[in-house]
Amino acid sequence: MITFEKVEKRYPDGTLAVESLSLELPAGQTTVFVGPSGCGKTTSLRMINRMIEPTSGRITIDGQDVTTLKKAELRRGIGYVIQNAGLFPHRTVLQNIMTVPKLNGVPTAQAKTRAYELLDTVGLPREFATRFPTQLSGGQQQRVGVARALAASPKVLLMDEPFSALDPVVRHELQEEFARLGPELGTTIVFVTHDIDEAVRLGDRIAVFEKGGKLAQFATPEELLSSPANEFVAEFVGKDRGYRALSFKQVGTTVNPVATIQLGDSTAELPAAGAAVVDTSHRFVGWARRGEQADRANQLEQRATVRQSDSMRLATDAVLTSHDGQAIVVDDDGRLLGSIDLALLAPRLHAQGSRA
Ligand SMILES: Nc1ncnc2c1ncn2[C@@H]1O[C@H](COP(=O)(O)OP(=O)(O)O)[C@@H](O)[C@H]1O
Ligand SMILES: [Mg+2]
């Protein structure tokens, strides 16, 4: 766990960059610092590894005051990733990743094995090992930057806008992979971004900063979107937050009943709108229209289908893009539960968005 206790930073020119910040960042989780430019995110981050020293207050990692450690020793346990990767241009990908382990006296063969594993971890082909940074795209360079930061198995990983300079498609790709990787690493990650969508995607907890280095809210993504603490946060998280908040709600089992017939039942009388066809385990196999026979699964109409554990956001998308304004809901074994439409979704949408 990393704690900030009334940490303040005033630069020599008088700028108050961080104002009395008190925070507890849970171990093994990702905390995102988010806020507009100049609100003290980078300053707060860099005080953790003492690239910047606070004017007052205290930062501890697992109970230990960071000022009691030698800087070099402190930083050995902390990985650091910045916007443009900051790779050594004259060193190959492999040499870049091996930098810190070699400084730490890890035998070359061992450092190399680990470096290759890290290429796998960050989704780069092993053939890239001998390339130089300029022979990689921006996204690939960022992946190497992450691999290099992880090479010494740090217990803390600091990331300052690591994806901000990438084009939106690559950026989204890296966010998705990082969202998977983060929880696997078990590392305490502090991630800085000015992008609220990125924060919501990656953070277990989010600290929203206001101008002047004031902490406006510290909450889970869901809390942040559903109950912003003040006007500033509400404005910052944006107008469509009700929709985004749906990412955290599951579809559940509140559904409309649907007419059902058994697969292979050619005698069933179908209602005008047709019926859901299920197999002997009550799994949904398709939709039968009136006048058609439900005897062969491959002749049935396929329908937008969501699982009860899927997000409401996914369900909303499914409903909005379906031809008849509804989606089939199944349980996690594929058994038919019913259907969902906007009339069912709207009150939940409203409940999320009503706290303006
Ligand atoms: N070395 C410095 N000297 C004086 N002011 C600084 C220095 N570094 C940052 N600042 C100021 O401190 C405030 C916070 O900066 P920073 O932590 O970089 O914000 P962010 O990362 O949120 O954009 C800004 O007003 C910035 O201009
Ligand atoms: Mg910054």
Side-chain angles (χ1 to χ4, degrees):
M1 183 169 77
I2 303 174
T3 63
F4 284 70
E5 298 166 19
K6 297 197 180 138
V7 173
E8 200 148 290
K9 176 63 187 180
R10 189 181 290 278
Y11 284 106
D13 68 356
T15 307
L16 183 61
V18 179
E19 185 189 306
S20 190
L21 178 64
S22 295
L23 264 186
E24 289 188 358
L25 320 190
Q29 297 196 2
T30 300
T31 300
V32 178
F33 291 173
V34 69
S37 173
C39 66
K41 307 180 296 292
T42 295
T43 302
S44 299
L45 187 80
R46 289 185 171 187
M47 288 192 288
I48 297 172
N49 68 357
R50 293 180 62 202
M51 289 168 75
I52 295 173
E53 302 282 7
T55 318
S56 61
R58 209 166 80 108
I59 295 175
T60 66
I61 299 178
D62 294 338
Q64 186 163 35
D65 186 333
V66 294
T67 58
T68 62
L69 293 170
K70 288 212 181 73
K71 282 184 188 170
E73 193 186 331
L74 171 72
R75 288 182 198 156
R76 218 171 284 153
I78 302 181
Y80 186 54
V81 185
I82 55 173
Q83 192 171 97
N84 289 305
L87 301 176
F88 304 116
H90 56 286
R91 293 190 189 166
T92 64
V93 165
L94 204 68
Q95 286 165 343
N96 263 284
I97 300 174
M98 288 164 58
T99 307
V100 175
K102 289 200 74 178
L103 283 174
N104 290 347
V106 175
T108 304
Q110 193 181 323
K112 210 176 228 179
T113 308
R114 172 99 178 113
Y116 275 113
E117 286 168 7
L118 282 164
L119 284 177
D120 302 340
T121 305
V122 300
L124 284 176
R126 291 188 171 207
E127 299 88 85
F128 281 24
T130 53
R131 290 204 193 175
F132 287 91
T134 50
Q135 298 170 307
L136 303 176
S137 70
Q140 290 163 345
Q141 287 183 30
Q142 278 317 97
R143 289 172 194 263
V144 177
V146 173
R148 186 176 64 172
L150 292 174
S153 307
K155 60 178 179 182
V156 173
L157 182 59
L158 308 181
M159 306 181 81
D160 194 352
E161 309 247 10
F163 307 146
S164 294
L166 303 171
D167 73 65
V169 174
V170 175
R171 186 169 180 183
H172 198 250
E173 208 175 277
L174 279 173
Q175 286 169 357
E176 291 208 325
E177 284 185 39
F178 194 76
R180 265 196 303 274
L181 183 62
E184 279 172 26
L185 292 173
T187 309
T188 306
I189 298 169
V190 191
F191 190 107
V192 165
T193 179
H194 62 273
D195 173 356
I196 185 67
D197 285 318
E198 185 165 83
V200 165
R201 229 168 258 150
L202 301 181
D204 295 305
R205 299 198 132 245
I206 300 177
V208 184
F209 288 76
E210 280 183 68
K211 272 256 185 295
K214 273 203 277 285
L215 180 68
Q217 188 166 6
F218 185 50
T220 63
E222 184 174 11
E223 284 163 18
L224 197 70
L225 294 172
S226 58
S227 357
N230 61 25
E231 276 302 307
F232 168 79
V233 179
E235 181 80 7
F236 188 72
V237 302
K239 300 255 182 294
D240 57 345
R241 68 174 184 279
Y243 178 62
R244 281 198 296 250
L246 291 177
S247 302
F248 303 100
K249 271 197 172 310
Q250 294 192 338
V251 172
T253 54
T254 306
V255 293
N256 296 317
V258 296
T260 305
I261 58 167
Q262 283 293 319
L263 182 64
D265 180 357
S266 53
T267 62
E269 188 68 29
L270 297 189
V277 182
V278 294
D279 66 11
T280 50
S281 308
H282 208 68
R283 281 190 298 255
F284 177 70
V285 288
W287 194 262
R289 289 165 183 273
R290 189 185 254 181
E292 288 171 0
Q293 295 201 333
D295 50 0
R296 281 206 229 133
N298 62 7
Q299 289 173 349
L300 299 169
E301 185 186 318
Q302 289 311 301
R303 283 274 163 128
T305 305
V306 294
R307 293 185 306 175
Q308 67 179 111
S309 60
D310 281 333
S311 71
M312 290 278 288
R313 181 166 175 169
L314 196 119
T316 307
D317 285 338
V319 166
L320 291 175
T321 55
S322 72
H323 65 87
D324 63 348
Q326 52 181 328
I328 298 292
V329 182
V330 298
D331 71 10
D332 291 332
D333 297 314
R335 285 186 290 262
L336 179 72
L337 295 172
S339 71
I340 193 163
D341 58 15
L342 270 190
L344 262 191
L345 285 165
R348 302 199 219 174
L349 262 166
H350 186 69
Q352 285 295 325
S354 58
R355 281 193 66 157

